Amino acid sequence: MPWNPEVYNKFKDIRYQPFYDLTEFIQPFDGMKAIDLGCGTGEQTAILADQFNQAHFTGVDSSAEMLEKSKSLEIPNLRFRKATIEETILSGEKWDLIFSNAALQWSDDHEKLFPDLLNLLHKNGQFAVQMPVQPENKLNKILIELVDEEPFKTFLKGYKRESPVLSIDDYAQILFDGGLQDIEIIQKVYPIIAEDHDTLYNFISGSALIPYMERLDGEEKELFIAAYKERIEKHFPKLPAIYSFKRLLMYGRKA
C-alpha cells in the first residue's frame, strides 16, 4: 500500500499527542532492547531513542516510501529495518519493549496478532500500543457505509476493509492471558477542530482512505471523492466542526 509521507504529516501535531501520551507509560532501563512497529518516517522512533538514550531501538516499517525519510536520522542507538509486522513475528526475535503508535490497526486478526506479539517479550518486557478506534470514529463509519453502496461497491469489486480493532474488554483479556501485569487500557478522545470540510477529508485521506483510492482510477475516483466529501458535509453540518477522534492506548508488563 503506497503511503504519502507529505499527506500523512499534514496533521503531524494532531497525530503526535497520542504518541507522547503513550510514551508516559514506558519505564526505561539500561540496555533495554526496544522495537517500534510501524515506525513510518522514523521521526517518532528518533524521539523515543533520544528520550530513552540508554535503550537500543529498532524501527520497523513495511513502507519503502516512509522509511526513505528515516535515512536522514543519525542517532547512535537507533536503526531501521524494512519488514512487515508479520515478518517480525516470524523472526522470533525477543524484545524488552514492543512499542507501536497508530500502526497495528493495519494488521488483521488481532485475536492472533496480539498474543503472537506478547510472546516476543522478555521477562519484565513492556508492551505499549496506541490505535485509533476505527469502528467508533465517525469518518470511518461514513467510509464503510459508502463503499457498501452502488456504484462504489461495483467500482471496488466488493472490496471493503473491516477494521480489526477489538473492544477494550477483548484487549484486556488478551493482555491478561498473555501474562501481562500492570495493565492499563484507556480510550481517549483527541478532538480535531476543522474550519472547513476539506480538513476532515484531508485528515482521513492520509490513512484509512488509501486502500480504496489505490483501487479506483479516473472518473471512478473522482465520483468517490465527491460522494465522500458530500457525506462528510452532511454529517458535519456546523462549522467549525469538532471531530471526536477516539484512540485506544494500552500498556502492560510481562510477568
Side-chain angles (χ1 to χ4, degrees), residues 4 6 18 32 51 104 119 131 136 167 169 203 212 222 252:
N4 186 324
E6 281 72 30
M32 181 173 71
Q51 181 176 350
L104 295 186
N119 285 335
M131 300 178 295
E136 296 184 22
S167 70
D169 288 343
F203 177 75
Y212 298 101
E222 291 177 9

Side-chain angles (χ1 to χ4, degrees), residues 42-43 45-47 49-50 53 72-80:
E43 292 177 60
T45 325
I47 294 171
D50 184 61
N53 55 23
S72 62
L73 301 170
E74 296 182 4
I75 299 174
N77 60 326
L78 172 60
R79 63 192 179 102
F80 293 97

